[in-house]
Amino acid sequence: MVHQPIALDDFQEQVHFIDDPASGTRGVIVIHSTALGPAAGGCRLWRYPSEGAIMADAVRLARGMTYKNALAGLPLGGGKAVLQCPSGDFDRRALFHALGDAVATLDGRYVTAEDVGTTVKDMLHVAERTRHVAGLSPRADGPGGDPSPWTALGVYDSMVATVKAELGADLKGLRVAVQGTGHVGAALCSLLAKAGAHLIVADADLARARSVADRFGGALADPALILETDADIVAPCALGGVLNDHSIPTIKAKLICGAANNQLAHAGCAESLAQHGIIYAPDFVVNAGGIINVCAEYLGETTMDVRRRIAEIPGRIVQILSRARDEGRTTHQVAEAMAQSVVAKAWTQAA
Ligand code: NAI
């Protein structure tokens, strides 16, 4: 395939709608780019208010995957599956079989894995229908399984590097507010607690937040107020869009570094953060650990390859921070430009 160098922001290569009345599965797979390899990105299962909301989330998430995979140096393009979570009881196996069938029809152009609302077990159901799935049970001698601990490791290492570069400090004694204590948030809290950070945690699911606070010695916060907590660092680890025109002026932390995809509600929020003196570690750079693990599993690489690629993330963040300062641009702009140049190079080589 010859790829034309058109604006990545506006571009999806393919949109595949899923509508399987038998299992009640509705959703979409968006392939944003295959310039670097098969489009890879997890499957989100969530309650959306409308079909338009599903599509909008899928498009933004797929684009983010293109940038994330490119910057992480992976031979993968970007894509995403987003499914409407049926109300009431439903047959999960049938739902993920329907996803597997949809992935199979794309014949390797899209590779799925876990994201918010989906688990290793769900991906095992997908694997009953297609081989283009990762995040399965780990091999004895290799990567695989839940990608979240690897995502948390990349976020943690990025936070350490950012704190050192920008505050000349380490995490010991710093207050870190973690929004969302699910798979990644909980694993991140474990690493932060070991480093001697003071945790403040919140989750829409109070029991989940309480369990993490009990295990790692953190304080509980109201989910509605966690971003404006008196903290040194905020780590968004729930859903996207949380850094917006309303929330940014209330943030007291000096630094934002977390796992959630698409934290910025719109591109202008990066400038707004900078104007408020808040340093932002771009989400798609710091949260690449999970897809790095997924990629290694899919391509038959080793755990050493996963560790090597994750170990490169903090250096990349420091480079982005330094370029943003030198070039008078936001960290988000610098990171996007770096990712776009990787993809553009692949286009040029393919043409
Ligand atoms: P998860 O579903 O395990 O956890 C998300 C948590 O956020 C849940 O406990 C949920 O109750 C909570 N939550 C939702 N809305 C909230 C709100 N308004 N305030 C507080 N808590 C809220 O998801 P996971 O896997 O931990 O992912 C978290 C974020 O990181 C997502 O944005 C995901 O796309 C992103 N991400 C995850 C990766 C992974 O390896 N799991 C890889 C890269 C990004």
Side-chain angles (χ1 to χ4, degrees), residues 23-351:
S23 61
T25 312
R26 288 182 71 79
V28 68
I29 295 171
V30 172
I31 294 179
H32 179 261
S33 168
T34 55
L36 289 161
C43 170
R44 180 166 294 194
L45 179 69
W46 195 250
R47 292 233 157 85
Y48 288 89
S50 65
E51 305 267 316
I54 294 177
M55 189 66 192
D57 211 20
V59 167
R60 286 188 330 136
L61 289 164
R63 185 177 62 221
M65 290 310 301
T66 297
Y67 290 166
K68 185 187 310 195
N69 296 341
L71 258 193
L74 301 176
L76 297 174
K80 202 84 183 179
V82 174
L83 301 180
Q84 176 71 283
C85 186
S87 45
D89 288 341
F90 64 95
D91 181 344
R92 266 190 106 92
R93 187 162 186 235
L95 188 119
F96 285 98
H97 277 171
L99 173 68
D101 290 341
V103 172
T105 65
L106 296 168
D107 204 21
R109 281 174 53 74
Y110 169 67
V111 182
T112 199
E114 295 89 349
D115 188 52
V116 173
T118 57
T119 63
V120 172
K121 197 170 169 194
D122 297 329
M123 293 308 124
L124 290 169
H125 292 324
V126 174
E128 288 165 0
R129 299 303 181 100
T130 177
R131 65 188 175 84
H132 303 297
V133 54
L136 309 174
S137 307
R139 300 191 311 261
D141 58 343
D146 179 7
S148 310
W150 296 107
T151 304
L153 179 63
V155 172
Y156 171 79
D157 286 348
S158 301
M159 202 185 280
V160 170
T162 308
V163 165
K164 187 166 178 218
E166 297 293 326
L167 310 180
D170 61 28
L171 284 171
K172 195 170 168 54
L174 292 190
R175 296 155 302 170
V176 186
V178 180
Q179 180 189 44
T181 53
H183 290 94
V184 183
L188 177 64
C189 286
S190 164
L191 295 168
L192 290 170
K194 279 188 203 125
H198 293 304
L199 291 173
I200 306 146
V201 300
D203 196 291
D205 179 337
L206 178 60
R208 207 172 278 177
R210 186 168 285 141
S211 138
V212 166
D214 289 347
R215 268 158 61 209
F216 305 119
L220 276 179
D222 181 339
L225 300 175
I226 183 76
L227 292 179
E228 53 193 90
T229 303
D230 209 0
D232 301 293
I233 303 164
V234 164
C237 296
L239 296 182
V242 294
L243 305 177
N244 52 47
D245 298 333
H246 172 73
S247 67
I248 290 171
T250 70
I251 295 174
K252 299 187 188 74
K254 302 178 219 38
L255 208 145
I256 295 176
C257 178
N261 283 310
N262 295 330
Q263 290 167 33
L264 303 173
H266 57 83
C269 294
E271 273 146 47
S272 175
L273 283 168
Q275 279 156 11
H276 284 83
I278 301 168
I279 295 146
Y280 171 64
D283 47 15
F284 63 86
V285 185
V286 307
N287 70 10
I291 194 71
I292 287 171
N293 183 53
V294 161
C295 171
E297 178 187 353
Y298 187 66
L299 300 179
E301 296 177 346
T302 65
T303 305
M304 285 288 285
D305 293 315
V306 176
R307 290 198 181 280
R308 175 182 51 78
R309 285 201 169 111
I310 292 178
E312 289 167 1
I313 298 176
R316 199 168 290 131
I317 276 293
V318 170
Q319 187 192 359
I320 289 166
L321 293 168
S322 146
R323 276 187 57 178
R325 210 178 302 114
D326 294 349
E327 296 168 17
R329 294 196 289 169
T330 68
T331 51
H332 181 71
Q333 285 166 336
V334 170
E336 279 205 339
M338 283 167 66
Q340 283 171 351
S341 92
V342 175
V343 179
K345 203 165 150 200
W347 270 333
T348 313
Q349 282 165 358

